[in-house]
Amino acid sequence: MAPPLSRRTLLQTAILATAGPGIAATASTATASAATLPAPAARRLRPFHLEDVTLDSGVFADKRRLMLDHARGYDVNRLLQVFRANAGLPAGGAVAPGGWEGLDGEANGNLRGHYTGHFLTMLSQAYASTGDPVYAEKIRTMVDALVEVREALRRDPAVLAAPGRFGGAVEQVRGSYQYVDLPAGVLSASPAITLAVWVRPTHAGTWARVLDFGDDTTRYMYLTARNADGVPRFALTTGGPGAEQGLDGTAPLPLDRWSHLAVTVADGTGTLYVDGTAVARNTAMTLTPASLGTPAHAWLGRSHFPADPVFAGALDGFDVWSRALSATEISRLQGSRAADTAAGPGDLASYAFDETEGAAFADASGRGLTATLRRTWGGPSHPGFLAAYPETQFIELESMTRGDYTRVWAPYYTAHKILRGLLDACLATDDDRALDLASGLCDWMHSRLSELPDATLQRMWGIFSSGEFGGIVEAIVDLHALTGKAEHLALARLFDLDRLIDACAANTDVLDGLHANQHIPIFTGYVRLYDATGEERYLTAAKNFWDMVVPHRMYGIGGTSTGEFWKARDVIAGTIGPATAETCCAYNLLKLSRTLFFHEPDPKYMDYYERALYNQVLGSKQDRPDAEKPLVTYFIGLTPGHVRDYTPKQGTTCCEGTGMESATKYQDSVYFAEADGSALYVNLYSPTTLTWAERGVTVTQTTDYPREQGTTLTVRGRTAAFALKLRVPSWATAGFRVTVNGRAVEGTPVPGGYLTVRRTWRSGDTVRVRVPFRLRVEKALDDPTLQTLFLGPVNLVARSSATDHLRFGLYRNAALSGDLLPTFTAVTGKPLHYTLDGTEFAPFFEGTEDPTHAYVRRAEPRVVFGGTDSGVANPAGPDGTTLLDEIWAGAPFASKGALVARVRTTVDAWVAAGLLGRADGDRIGAMAARASYVS
C-alpha cells in the first residue's frame, strides 16, 4: 500500500489538477479531490518543493543562516501575546514585539497579527528546507495557541483570576477589550458617595478608566489611574469635558504594584485619596452622582470615549457607599477588605472579585447587583473568526469612503498573512488543526463579504491602505485546492477589483498614483483564479500589469515604488529619493514573475527574477546575526550616500515580514519542470542540489556564482531522458558556452533565452556552463546620464559618504567586447570589489551600513580610447547621446580593426551632421588606430 500523501503533496497535486487534463493524469491518486474544480486552465511548468532543493554553501546560504538563527532564537510567545490578549487569555508574561505588531505601534497597532503570519511562513519554509525539528516545534506552539485563541473568542469572556490585595482579583490583560459591566442602578441617585478600589496597573497609558458611570461623552463620572499628566483623576460632568468638576492626584501610580484609590463626594466637597492619604480636595463641586440620574452605563475598565484604552491591570475590592466615608475609615481600608472594617461593605455595591471562572461577579452589598465581564465589541459574527484585534476593524471598513489607517489599517491584509501562515504551517507539518483554522477564517470572511453589495466591495478594495488585502486571493485559492469548498472559491472572487482588472486586461496603464504593494500581490492571486476558473481576463490583466512595471517603473536593483507609490511611466531618475524600492514590492514582483512563468515560460520573467533576487532581495538582509530582529530593510533609498536602515519604523513591518520569508526560500525558483516531466529548467545558477523524485535523479550545481562566472551540474541516479534547459541571461551577450562530459554542446545560445540540451542522462554526466560577466551600464529611462553599473547579474554600488551623484568616465579602457571592467582596478582578496578614481565599488547584495551610490552620473568629457586621450571634447547630440556612446554601442568588436572602422564611420556621420569638426574627427580616428585594447 502506498504511503499517505502529505498535505503539501495534496496541495501541489490539487494545483496541478487545475492545470489541465494532461497534467492531472500525472498527479497520482490525490487528483480526485480536485477534479471538481471548475474550468481547469493550462500550466506548462511546475515548481519543486523547498525540501526537494537543498541550498549549498554560497552567498544565499550565508544570508539564510542568519535568518534561520533569528527564527530559532525568537520567542514566538511574544507574537502570540496580541492574539491571547484579544481573546482575554493570559500571556504568560510575554511582551508584544512593538512597532507595527503591538498595542503601542504605529496607528495604535492596527496591523497587529500580520507578523505572526509571516513568522509562521518563515518557520514553515525553514522546516521544509532544513528538516530541523526546532522549527516544527515552534509551529506547533503557535498553532496550539491560535486554536486556544479561536475557542476563547467563540465563547463569552471568562474571568482571568489573579492574586489580589487580600484575596482574589480580576486581571484585565492589556489589549483584551474586556471590562466589567455593572447594573445601571448602582448609584441609586445618591447625593453623596464614596468609591474605593484596589488597582494594579500594568501599563502607563493615559485615560484608561478604572470606572466610568454615565450615558455618553457628555454626562458621566469617571476615575482614571492616569490623566494626560500621568496622575489619577476623578471627574463628574453633565456638560462634557469642558464642564468637568474634578480632582487630580499629585504623582503617578506605580506599575505592577497595588494602590488604593478612594473618592468621596458630599456637601459640595470632593476628596481624592491615594493609599489612604488625601491628595486632592475640591470644595466647589456643585455636581453629585445624583446629577447623573440613573446612568445608562456603569463600567469598570471601560471609557465612554472610544479612543481611550481599556484599563490594563488588576482590580480588587471595589465598593460604593451612599455616604462620604471619613478619612479614618478610608485609612482603615488599607489593612483589610471593607467588609472587615467598621465601614462594612459598600451599601450600593461591593465586589471582592474572588471568582475564578465564568463571567459573573457577585455583589456583597445586599442589593444583588451581579456584574458581568464583557467585551467592548461583543464577539465575532462567525465562529471561524481569528484575529489579534476586534472584528470592528472589518466592520468599520464596510462603511468607509476614504482611507484612515489610524482607524482601520488593512484588516484583510492582516487576515491574509494569518491565513497564509496557517496554510504553510499545515503544509509543512501536516497539522489538520492549522488547516481547520485557515478554513474557518475563510468561512468567516465569506459570511461577511458575501452579504455585501458589489458596489461596497469595489469601494472597499479601492481605498488606499485601509482596503489593502495583499495576496489573500492566492492564499484562498490555494486553500480551495485543499478543501474543495465552493464557498472558498466564491470568496476569492469577492476580491475582484474590477476597475483595475479591466484596465490592465485592456492594456491601459492606470498605475500612476497607485500604492504599489497594495496592487502587486493581487495579480498573483488573479493568476491563481485563472488556474481555478479558466477566465482569461485574470491572466491577461496580470501579464499586462507586469509589463507596466518592468521595466517602466523599475530601478536597476529590481525594486519599484517611491514613497510606496508609483509615479508616471518611464520616470526613473525623477523618482529617486530616500524612500524608493520598498522591499515588499520586490518580494511580490518575484512571486508574480514566478507565477506567470509557469504559464508562459518567457525568459524575461526569470531575467527579472535574477535581477531582483541577486540584488535588492539579497541586499535587503543585513550581514550580521540578531535573535531579536530580522534586520531587513523597508525602503532602500537610492539617493547618493544612502545608508540602509535594517531596523525600520520601530520594527515588525510588512517588509521585515516578507524579508523573513524571502531569506528562507532562496532556492524556490532555481529549477522548474515541464508538467509532463519532459524537461528541467535551470533558471538560476546557484549552489544547490535538486532531488527530482519523479525521474529518479539528483542534479547538483557546484558553483560560487555570482563570485564564479559559471556553474557545474552533475546528474546522478537512474538513466532518464529529458531536456535540460539552461537559461542564457539577457546580459550574457558573448562567451556563453556549455559542455557535457567535456564536449561542446551544439546550438547557438541566445541572450534572454534558454539553451536546450536533449539527451538520455546517465549517472555521473557533468554539464559545465560558462557565463562570462562583463561590466555594463543601465541608463535611467528619463536621464541617460544617470546610470547604474552591473557586472553580470550583480549590481555594483559606489561606497562614498558624498551626498551628490558621483561622476565617472568609464570608456577610457573599455575592451573590444564592450566590457567596461578594464577601466576599474580589482581589489585583492575581495571578489566583485573594484576601485575607480579612489572610490570602491562593491556588490549591492552585501548587507552593510556603508553609504552607497546605486546610481552615478556618467561624465565622459573627452574622447579617450585604450587609455589614450585624443585631446578632443566628447560631443553630444540633441538627445544627450555622446559620440563615445554611439561608437561603443557597436560592441562587441571582433578585432581592433572593427573598432577603428566603427570609429571612422561614426565620426564621418557626426561631421556630416555638424556635430563634430573635421580636424577633430581626424584626430580621433588617428588616435583610435594607435591605441591598444584588451579583447
Side-chain angles (χ1 to χ4, degrees):
M1 188 170 111
L5 294 172
S6 71
R7 289 289 180 189
R8 186 181 304 103
T9 301
L10 285 171
L11 177 60
Q12 177 155 316
T13 302
I15 292 172
L16 285 173
T18 70
I23 298 168
T26 69
S28 99
T29 59
T31 57
S33 64
T36 58
L37 296 180
R43 261 193 175 191
R44 286 187 53 184
L45 306 181
R46 63 173 176 82
F48 290 94
H49 303 313
L50 287 178
E51 62 265 36
D52 295 335
V53 184
T54 302
L55 193 60
D56 299 323
S57 297
V59 293
F60 287 106
D62 291 343
K63 294 271 189 179
R64 187 183 69 172
R65 187 179 305 111
L66 295 170
M67 194 61 78
L68 290 176
D69 289 345
H70 171 67
R72 177 186 292 272
Y74 194 84
D75 180 7
V76 295
N77 286 294
R78 296 190 60 193
L79 300 170
L80 296 166
Q81 189 271 350
V82 291
F83 283 89
R84 287 169 166 149
N86 188 49
L89 296 172
V95 178
W100 288 10
E101 191 63 30
L103 303 174
D104 293 317
E106 187 172 339
N108 203 27
N110 286 342
L111 211 66
R112 62 186 179 274
H114 81 117
Y115 208 71
T116 297
H118 283 298
F119 213 90
L120 272 171
T121 293
M122 174 181 67
L123 291 173
S124 300
Q125 293 174 172
Y127 181 52
S129 295
T130 69
D132 189 332
V134 70
Y135 305 119
E137 184 59 35
K138 283 176 174 282
I139 293 170
R140 192 172 301 112
T141 296
M142 297 178 78
V143 173
D144 286 347
L146 294 175
V147 168
E148 184 183 13
V149 164
R150 188 178 69 173
E151 290 306 307
L153 288 170
R154 289 175 169 181
R155 302 187 303 264
D156 289 334
V159 171
L160 183 58
R165 179 67 176 80
F166 299 110
V170 58
E171 183 81 31
Q172 297 289 79
V173 177
R174 184 160 175 264
S176 68
Y177 296 91
Q178 293 183 174
Y179 68 102
V180 179
D181 188 20
L182 279 59
V186 65
L187 294 182
S188 196
S190 176
I193 198 168
T194 297
L195 306 162
V197 63
W198 285 99
V199 298
R200 180 172 53 80
T202 56
H203 181 64
T206 58
W207 296 119
R209 303 295 200 260
V210 175
L211 64 87
D212 196 335
F213 297 171
D215 298 334
D216 46 35
T217 57
T218 300
R219 299 172 61 83
Y220 54 81
M221 176 180 75
Y222 70 78
L223 174 63
T224 181
R226 288 176 180 257
N227 64 5
D229 296 321
V231 298
R233 175 174 171 80
F234 170 83
L236 183 61
T237 182
T238 57
E244 288 183 359
Q245 297 179 9
L247 299 161
D248 292 307
T250 57
L253 298 185
L255 298 181
D256 300 311
R257 279 173 40 196
W258 286 105
S259 297
H260 190 261
L261 296 177
V263 177
T264 61
V265 178
D267 303 323
T269 297
T271 306
L272 172 66
Y273 296 84
V274 176
D275 292 331
T277 301
V279 296
R281 180 169 282 109
N282 184 344
T283 59
M285 295 190 69
T286 60
L287 298 174
T288 71
S291 305
L292 301 177
T294 301
H297 310 119
W299 295 332
L300 301 183
R302 180 181 179 182
S303 170
H304 280 91
F305 290 83
D308 291 340
V310 172
F311 176 77
L315 301 174
D316 187 14
F318 176 68
D319 288 271
V320 185
W321 290 268
S322 60
R323 64 184 180 88
L325 268 61
S326 68
T328 299
E329 288 176 308
I330 289 174
S331 176
R332 288 174 179 167
L333 295 176
Q334 310 309 300
S336 58
R337 282 182 165 170
D340 298 325
T341 69
D347 62 315
L348 295 182
S350 180
Y351 302 96
F353 298 122
D354 286 333
E355 291 81 0
T356 58
E357 59 183 17
F361 300 99
D363 170 31
S365 71
R367 299 177 68 202
L369 300 180
T370 300
T372 306
L373 188 66
R374 303 190 190 281
R375 298 188 186 100
T376 61
W377 56 285
S381 63
H382 184 281
F385 176 75
L386 178 64
Y389 46 61
E391 193 176 357
T392 50
Q393 283 277 301
F394 300 87
I395 296 170
E396 191 170 356
L397 174 62
E398 293 167 8
S399 61
M400 292 179 72
T401 57
R402 57 183 300 177
D404 181 355
Y405 75 96
T406 64
R407 290 170 49 212
V408 175
W409 193 7
Y412 285 97
Y413 174 96
T414 304
H416 161 243
K417 299 308 176 187
I418 298 168
L419 173 62
R420 182 78 258 174
L422 289 168
L423 187 55
D424 291 338
C426 166
L427 298 174
T429 64
D430 287 336
D431 192 332
D432 285 337
R433 298 172 309 151
L435 180 61
D436 182 62
L437 288 169
S439 183
L441 185 57
C442 286
D443 292 342
W444 162 74
M445 283 189 278
H446 184 264
S447 74
R448 286 211 69 84
L449 297 178
S450 63
E451 297 298 318
L452 298 178
D454 184 65
T456 300
L457 293 173
Q458 295 300 319
R459 172 176 48 77
M460 286 165 56
W461 307 146
I463 298 175
F464 161 59
S465 190
S466 298
E468 183 175 356
F469 56 79
I472 200 168
V473 177
E474 178 196 20
I476 295 170
V477 178
D478 283 354
L479 176 69
H480 173 255
L482 277 178
T483 67
K485 292 181 68 171
E487 295 88 349
H488 292 164
L489 186 59
L491 171 64
R493 302 187 72 158
L494 293 175
F495 289 92
D496 280 8
L497 183 54
D498 289 330
R499 170 172 46 83
L500 184 63
I501 296 173
D502 292 343
C504 290
N507 207 18
T508 302
D509 191 330
V510 294
L511 303 190
D512 188 4
L514 291 184
H515 183 254
N517 197 52
Q518 182 166 347
H519 296 91
I520 299 170
I522 71 177
F523 282 96
T524 303
Y526 292 152
V527 178
R528 289 292 288 119
L529 265 178
Y530 167 75
D531 291 340
T533 68
E535 289 193 24
E536 289 284 347
R537 72 191 277 260
Y538 290 127
L539 182 61
T540 301
K543 289 180 180 179
N544 291 341
F545 168 80
W546 191 94
D547 286 331
M548 294 171 193
V549 179
V550 182
H552 302 288
R553 293 176 172 88
M554 182 194 75
Y555 302 107
I557 58 173
T560 187
S561 79
T562 180
E564 300 194 8
F565 289 82
W566 282 310
K567 304 302 181 184
R569 185 182 179 106
D570 294 331
V571 178
I572 300 299
T575 61
I576 287 176
T580 39
E582 183 186 356
T583 307
C584 274
C585 294
Y587 164 90
N588 280 309
L589 269 176
L590 288 177
K591 289 194 74 172
L592 178 58
S593 301
R594 179 178 193 264
T595 305
L596 288 172
F597 191 78
F598 294 151
H599 291 276
E600 181 182 356
D602 188 329
K604 69 181 182 182
Y605 297 125
M606 284 298 115
D607 268 343
Y608 173 78
Y609 204 98
E610 179 186 67
R611 175 193 296 269
L613 181 66
Y614 279 78
N615 294 292
Q616 174 158 0
V617 171
L618 266 187
S620 68
K621 173 72 186 86
Q622 190 172 16
D623 294 333
R624 71 176 180 85
D626 194 313
E628 178 67 18
K629 302 179 186 67
L631 299 180
V632 176
T633 59
Y634 191 103
F635 297 118
I636 293 184
L638 300 177
T639 49
H642 176 77
V643 176
R644 292 175 211 167
D645 179 5
Y646 298 98
T647 53
K649 294 179 177 286
Q650 295 79 53
T652 60
T653 63
C654 54
C655 291
E656 288 168 289
T658 54
M660 293 189 301
E661 294 184 30
S662 290
T664 48
K665 63 168 187 174
Y666 288 137
Q667 75 271 37
D668 77 338
S669 296
V670 176
Y671 309 98
F672 296 147
E674 287 280 0
D676 61 2
S678 63
L680 178 67
Y681 282 70
V682 181
N683 304 308
L684 301 171
Y685 300 119
S686 174
T688 49
T689 299
L690 166 67
T691 301
W692 193 4
E694 179 185 3
R695 303 310 306 269
V697 301
T698 62
V699 179
T700 300
Q701 276 200 71
T702 305
T703 180
D704 195 26
Y705 191 96
R707 298 187 182 108
E708 177 184 347
Q709 299 185 22
T711 187
T712 299
L713 297 98
T714 304
V715 180
R716 299 193 184 279
R718 293 202 310 246
T719 299
F722 59 87
L724 187 67
K725 302 179 80 68
L726 303 165
R727 189 173 69 88
V728 184
S730 59
W731 47 262
T733 56
F736 188 95
R737 297 288 184 270
V738 177
T739 61
V740 176
N741 299 331
R743 299 184 63 179
V745 170
E746 295 182 359
T748 302
V750 177
Y754 280 80
L755 180 66
T756 301
V757 182
R758 301 182 188 277
R759 63 182 277 123
T760 298
W761 299 91
R762 292 174 173 80
S763 189
D765 281 350
T766 300
V767 180
R768 174 63 184 161
V769 182
R770 181 172 179 266
V771 195
F773 295 178
R774 68 181 183 91
L775 186 70
R776 68 191 189 282
V777 299
E778 290 187 1
K779 303 174 182 178
L781 298 175
D782 51 332
D783 183 353
T785 70
L786 197 65
Q787 302 178 358
T788 187
L789 278 62
F790 280 86
L791 181 62
V794 178
N795 184 243
L796 295 181
V797 294
R799 289 182 173 169
S800 169
S801 59
T803 54
D804 293 325
H805 285 297
L806 301 176
R807 304 175 70 87
F808 294 100
L810 306 179
Y811 288 134
R812 67 187 78 164
N813 284 307
L816 293 175
S817 64
D819 190 355
L820 301 172
L821 192 59
T823 298
F824 291 73
T825 300
V827 178
T828 303
K830 297 177 70 175
L832 301 176
H833 285 245
Y834 302 88
T835 60
L836 178 62
D837 299 339
T839 299
E840 183 178 18
F841 284 77
F844 186 96
F845 65 68
E846 292 186 349
T848 72
E849 293 179 303
D850 295 297
T852 60
H853 293 243
Y855 283 86
V856 299
R857 187 69 67 186
R858 190 67 175 273
E860 304 280 358
R862 303 172 74 83
V863 178
V864 181
F865 286 103
T868 303
D869 190 338
S870 69
V872 178
N874 182 26
D879 64 352
T881 300
T882 70
L883 176 68
L884 284 174
D885 290 334
E886 188 163 335
I887 290 171
W888 284 105
F893 299 106
S895 64
K896 175 179 176 178
L899 170 59
V900 173
R902 172 78 176 187
V903 170
R904 286 173 176 163
T905 57
T906 305
V907 163
D908 288 346
W910 280 59
V911 170
L915 299 173
L916 179 68
R918 171 47 64 188
D920 285 343
D922 291 343
R923 280 197 295 273
I924 291 171
M927 183 273 296
R930 293 195 306 271
S932 298
Y933 307 91
V934 292
S935 58

